[in-house]
């Protein structure tokens, strides 16, 4: 085996298009006792990270808790994972993965198939790890300068970006116009392409 007790963790993956059982489950099963014996963190895969929280100093990224909940509720077959600091509110239907640092959040994000949230730190971290995203930009910043081509970037180019850090009626209007079913449709499209 190629596992080392000096590793920080191990990302379990499988070769989905293989017909060889060895690459589907056997190698993972063979390595699992070593991961356990070495005390390594196993980073699972096959989930969608959703992040409804935003930095309170920027209200112009607040899409609204009820809308995030509507997205999760509309797709009950999706394994939703919410990465947030310990003690923060968690969406019903999402698994909570507490992370009290950006590094811990990135580690939890690393096994995801998709990221769903507002433009921000986790969105950019997902892009750096080649994890596609459905990102709500609203009207604060523009995906022309802050976005990635392989992601779905939801925004309104009319009057955007305003860049205001104080509550802005322009941003509120754009965020209110983004309906949960639009986000759900993009999530379904992105997951269908995984």
């Amino acid at each position: 085996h190629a596992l080392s007790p000096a590793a920080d963790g191990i990302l379990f993956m499988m070769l989905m298009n293989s017909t060889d059982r060895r690459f589907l489950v056997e190698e993972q099963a063979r390595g699992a006792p070593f991961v356990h014996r070495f005390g390594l963190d196993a980073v699972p895969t096959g989930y969608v990270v959703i992040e409804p929280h935003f930095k309170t100093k920027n209200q112009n990224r607040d899409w609204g808790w009820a809308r995030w909940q509507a997205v999760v509720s509309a797709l009950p077959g999706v394994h939703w994972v919410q990465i947030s600091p310990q003690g923060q509110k968690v969406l019903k239907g999402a698994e909570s993965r507490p992370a009290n640092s950006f590094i811990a959040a990135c580690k939890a994000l690393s096994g995801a198939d998709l990221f769903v949230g507002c433009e921000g730190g986790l969105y950019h971290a997902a892009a750096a790890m080649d994890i596609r995203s459905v990102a709500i930009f609203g009207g604060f910043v523009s995906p022309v300068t802050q976005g990635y081509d392989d992601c779905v970037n939801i925004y309104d180019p009319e009057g955007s970006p305003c860049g205001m850090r104080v509550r802005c009626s322009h941003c509120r209007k754009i965020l209110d116009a983004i309906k949960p079913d639009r986000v759900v449709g993009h999530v379904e499209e992105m997951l269908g392409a995984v």
Side-chain angles (χ1 to χ4, degrees), residues 30 48 111 171 185:
R30 190 171 151 232
V48 176
C171 290

Side-chain angles (χ1 to χ4, degrees), residues 14-176:
M14 69 172 129
L15 190 59
M16 294 291 289
N17 63 349
S18 177
T19 57
D20 187 339
R21 182 173 165 76
R22 175 180 164 218
F23 296 117
L24 293 172
V25 294
E26 289 175 3
E27 289 297 322
Q28 294 85 337
R30 190 171 151 232
F34 294 101
V35 171
H36 180 72
R37 185 177 330 139
F38 297 157
L40 300 176
D41 288 330
V43 180
T45 61
Y47 53 89
V48 176
V49 168
I50 188 163
E51 183 46 72
H53 296 288
F54 61 95
K55 290 183 179 175
T56 55
K57 65 182 177 184
N58 190 344
Q59 299 289 313
N60 295 327
R61 290 186 176 159
D62 181 10
W63 190 44
W65 191 263
R67 290 184 182 104
W68 291 114
Q69 185 61 63
V71 170
V72 171
S73 297
L75 297 168
V78 170
H79 179 185
W80 294 103
V81 169
Q82 183 179 326
I83 302 169
S84 301
Q86 189 100 25
Q88 279 197 322
K89 189 175 177 181
V90 177
L91 295 162
K92 289 181 185 122
E95 173 192 338
S96 175
R97 295 231 181 126
N100 289 319
S101 72
F102 186 68
I103 292 170
C106 289
K107 182 178 177 183
L109 176 64
S110 68
D113 290 326
L114 185 68
F115 170 76
V116 181
C118 289
E119 181 277 332
L122 285 180
Y123 166 74
H124 296 291
M129 291 186 268
D130 288 326
I131 298 167
R132 294 171 310 141
S133 299
V134 175
I136 296 175
F137 274 76
F140 176 65
V141 295
S142 169
V144 172
T145 57
Q146 302 287 327
Y148 305 96
D149 292 337
D150 59 344
C151 298
V152 173
N153 301 306
I154 303 172
Y155 82 114
D156 182 350
E158 183 101 13
S160 294
C162 75
M164 304 234 346
R165 293 204 178 270
V166 295
R167 192 172 286 279
C168 167
S169 61
H170 160 260
C171 290
R172 181 78 267 146
K173 178 182 167 193
I174 290 172
L175 287 168
D176 287 345

